[in-house]
């Protein structure tokens, strides 16, 4: 079942402004389907295909000359030198929207783009499905636990596959195949344990000393492996908010995953029911919520640099801050509980008081596991399933 992806409008607009559009993102996030749907008139070629890849490696000019009017070239990081030859063709014929490139490994692709296609390409990130996209499938999760457990990889919904079955194969393919192609990880068993430990720390401050100690590796190795997870679009770091409001703010980033279903699989959670009482339920919900905001901005071609979290050394904390302009802050907290109460708002109100005498204007919103939009103590409470329609209703 094909659904409309939220990024489609942004993708079409980019193709009207740049001769090359590059779409990056994790494997199986739907890049190929998206491109073939939006750019159906373009020839399509995948460099995962060994014959195509060998042709591109041995005769890059001959390979590109097949496509006089451009093409969709999938998994272009497989032949990074191809972009240098594409640069010349683009400079000679800079017609907009001719070349559509996709890639799933940010290390190699980003370096090649900076070297060859800077100023010639728009770069967009396609992540797993956002909740509003998941709802377009006829069969989609009906409860918060089902949504967290299933995650957002399109194949799970398109083929109606059990999430744990599909995600298990995904992780094995990722570790056994993709990691080797990104860098030389000597101990794949240790790396797999490292990924599982990271899942157990989702929504927590990223403490390299603790993480490396628990995994039995050095801190430089832990930092390198975090970079691999980021380059593969598995996890990301959310930076802490910094300002001149005279508070001693924590400088460690928070670790988040792009997909809650993947976190559940890595933690050994075998059913949605387990999430009802799981000790990491709140952390998994927080990482789901933060990733939803990241996806919202990515699907509109906007940077997520305006996103941060707040935590000071006295324990005042909110999960996410969206910085608007000028000096507008939206403070956001995620609570998986289904019952609205003033107790849920204590953290938001404490941090809001910290900004009371600053130059910032603050509003506060709570994303929770309940069903009704309501206002409590000047804070809007937003049900998890209405996160997009309510949180961004004015955009």
């Amino acid at each position: 079942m094909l659904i409309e992806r939220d990024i489609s409008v942004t993708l079409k607009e980019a193709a009207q402004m740049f001769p090359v559009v590059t779409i990056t993102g994790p494997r199986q996030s739907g890049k190929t389907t998206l491109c073939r749907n939006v750019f159906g008139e373009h020839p399509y070629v995948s460099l995962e295909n060994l014959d195509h890849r060998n042709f591109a490696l041995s005769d890059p000019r001959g390979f590109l000359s097949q496509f006089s009017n451009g093409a969709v070239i999938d998994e272009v990081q497989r032949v990074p030198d191809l972009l240098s030859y594409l640069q010349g063709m683009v400079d000679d014929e800079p017609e907009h929207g001719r070349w559509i490139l996709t890639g799933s490994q940010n290390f190699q692709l980003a370096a090649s783009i900076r070297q060859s296609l800077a100023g010639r390409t728009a770069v967009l990130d396609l992540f797993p499905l956002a909740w509003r996209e998941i709802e377009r499938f006829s069969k989609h999760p009906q409860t918060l636990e089902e949504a967290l457990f299933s995650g957002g990889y399109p194949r799970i919904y398109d083929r109606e596959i059990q999430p744990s079955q599909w995600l298990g194969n995904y992780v094995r393919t990722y570790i056994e195949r993709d990691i080797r192609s990104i860098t030389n990880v000597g101990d794949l068993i240790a790396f797999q344990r490292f990924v599982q430990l990271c899942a157990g720390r989702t929504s927590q401050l990223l403490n390299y000393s603790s993480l490396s100690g628990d995994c039995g590796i050095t801190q430089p190795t832990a930092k390198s492996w975090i970079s691999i997870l980021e380059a593969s679009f598995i996890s990301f770091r959310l930076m802490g908010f910094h300002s001149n409001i005279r508070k001693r703010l924590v400088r460690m980033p928070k670790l988040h995953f792009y997909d809650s279903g993947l976190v559940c699989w890595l933690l050994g959670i075998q059913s949605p029911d387990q999430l009802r009482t799981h000790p990491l339920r709140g952390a998994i919900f927080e990482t789901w919520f933060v990733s939803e905001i990241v996806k919202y901005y990515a699907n509109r071609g906007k940077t997520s640099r305006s996103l941060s979290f707040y935590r000071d050394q006295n324990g005042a904390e909110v999960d996410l801050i969206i910085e608007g302009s000028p000096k507008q802050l939206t403070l956001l907290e995620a609570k998986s509980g289904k019952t609205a109460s003033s107790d849920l708002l204590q953290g938001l109100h404490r941090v809001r008081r910290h900004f009371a005498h600053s130059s910032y204007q603050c509003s506060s919103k709570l994303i929770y596991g309940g069903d009704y939009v309501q206002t409590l103590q000047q804070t809007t409470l937003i049900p998890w399933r209405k996160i997009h329609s309510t949180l961004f209703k004015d955009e």
Side-chain angles (χ1 to χ4, degrees):
M1 173 184 174
L2 284 177
I3 63 161
E4 179 80 8
R5 296 298 300 265
D6 284 354
I7 203 173
S8 296
V9 173
T10 305
L11 182 56
K12 293 172 184 176
E13 290 173 350
Q16 294 173 354
M17 294 185 288
F18 290 88
V20 183
V21 179
T22 304
I23 306 167
T24 63
R27 285 192 176 276
Q28 299 296 319
S29 63
K31 298 184 295 296
T32 301
T33 302
L34 172 70
C35 290
R36 301 191 79 166
N37 186 38
V38 175
F39 302 103
E41 74 283 359
H42 283 51
Y44 169 83
V45 61
S46 173
L47 295 182
E48 287 288 343
N49 181 291
L50 186 59
D51 292 334
H52 294 317
R53 186 160 72 247
N54 286 339
F55 186 9
L57 285 167
S58 62
D59 185 6
R61 286 193 177 90
F63 174 83
L64 291 172
S65 67
Q66 300 175 99
F67 312 111
S68 57
N69 295 316
V72 174
I73 304 179
D74 215 351
E75 299 295 351
V76 73
Q77 83 280 345
R78 289 289 189 176
V79 188
D81 291 343
L82 192 65
L83 301 187
S84 297
Y85 295 91
L86 184 59
Q87 173 188 339
M89 297 181 68
V90 168
D91 290 343
D92 291 340
E93 298 181 62
E95 180 184 346
H96 292 166
R98 289 184 65 203
W99 299 96
I100 312 298
L101 312 178
T102 82
S104 55
Q105 293 169 12
N106 211 19
F107 274 150
Q108 297 160 312
L109 190 56
S112 299
I113 288 173
R114 285 196 300 269
Q115 181 177 350
S116 304
L117 294 180
R120 301 169 178 86
T121 183
V123 181
L124 302 174
D125 294 326
L126 180 69
F127 296 115
L129 298 164
W131 172 247
R132 59 185 285 168
E133 295 174 314
I134 292 172
E135 286 187 298
R136 293 171 192 156
F137 288 90
S138 57
K139 293 184 179 180
H140 61 264
Q142 298 300 308
T143 67
L144 173 58
E145 291 77 18
E146 290 173 355
L148 297 179
F149 179 76
S150 299
Y153 282 96
R155 191 65 63 88
I156 291 172
Y157 300 95
D158 187 42
R159 302 286 179 87
E160 298 182 8
I161 303 173
Q162 285 293 326
S164 56
Q165 176 186 353
W166 188 88
L167 288 164
N169 291 327
Y170 182 82
V171 170
R172 282 187 287 273
T173 300
Y174 168 67
I175 290 177
E176 293 173 3
R177 171 185 165 183
D178 283 358
I179 290 303
R180 285 192 175 98
S181 67
I182 295 174
T183 190
N184 183 24
V185 174
D187 190 342
L188 288 176
I189 294 176
F191 184 81
Q192 185 169 16
R193 173 166 169 73
F194 176 81
V195 178
Q196 292 171 331
L197 288 171
C198 286
R201 286 165 167 77
T202 195
S203 303
Q204 295 182 19
L205 295 176
L206 181 53
N207 186 322
Y208 288 109
S209 176
S210 172
L211 184 58
S212 61
D214 288 350
C215 193
I217 58 177
T218 65
Q219 283 195 46
T221 298
K223 291 179 179 179
S224 173
W225 286 1
I226 285 289
S227 295
I228 291 171
L229 293 179
E230 291 182 329
S232 304
F233 303 97
I234 298 298
S235 69
F236 62 98
R237 285 171 289 181
L238 181 67
M239 306 309 294
F241 180 83
H242 295 297
S243 75
N244 58 355
I245 61 171
R246 299 181 182 179
K247 296 291 180 182
R248 298 182 65 191
L249 302 178
V250 171
R251 296 189 177 273
M252 284 183 184
K254 268 190 174 183
L255 180 66
H256 284 290
F257 278 65
Y258 286 111
D259 190 74
S260 63
L262 183 58
V263 173
C264 289
W265 188 90
L266 290 167
L267 292 175
I269 297 172
Q270 298 177 3
S271 71
D273 285 342
Q274 279 187 262
L275 277 166
R276 299 184 191 279
T277 57
H278 197 280
L280 292 181
R281 172 190 169 90
I284 296 170
F285 181 60
E286 181 183 336
T287 215
W288 175 87
F289 146 71
V290 172
S291 68
E292 284 293 311
I293 307 303
V294 170
K295 292 172 189 176
Y296 175 87
Y297 280 95
N299 287 338
R300 283 148 188 81
K302 297 180 180 179
T303 177
S304 59
R305 292 176 185 172
S306 61
L307 303 180
S308 60
F309 73 96
Y310 183 101
R311 184 169 181 175
D312 67 23
Q313 296 185 4
N314 293 319
E317 180 177 8
V318 291
D319 297 331
L320 191 68
I321 293 180
I322 301 177
E323 296 184 54
S325 180
K327 294 290 186 176
Q328 295 287 330
L329 299 180
T330 302
L331 311 182
L332 296 160
E333 186 81 354
K335 297 292 185 183
S336 63
K338 298 182 179 182
T339 303
S341 72
S342 57
D343 291 343
L344 300 179
L345 307 178
Q346 292 180 1
L348 278 169
H349 290 167
R350 184 179 177 186
V351 172
R352 193 167 181 172
R353 287 195 295 270
H354 287 191
F355 288 99
H357 302 292
S358 72
S359 58
Y360 292 99
Q361 297 294 318
C362 296
S363 62
S364 56
K365 302 180 190 297
L366 178 80
I367 314 302
Y368 78 119
D371 298 316
Y372 303 103
V373 178
Q374 51 190 299
T375 300
L376 188 63
Q377 298 179 7
Q378 298 183 316
T379 297
T380 304
L381 278 65
I382 302 172
W384 66 275
R385 64 174 70 250
K386 296 183 179 180
I387 182 171
H388 292 280
S389 60
T390 303
L391 186 58
F392 298 108
K393 65 180 179 180
D394 297 326
E395 296 191 18

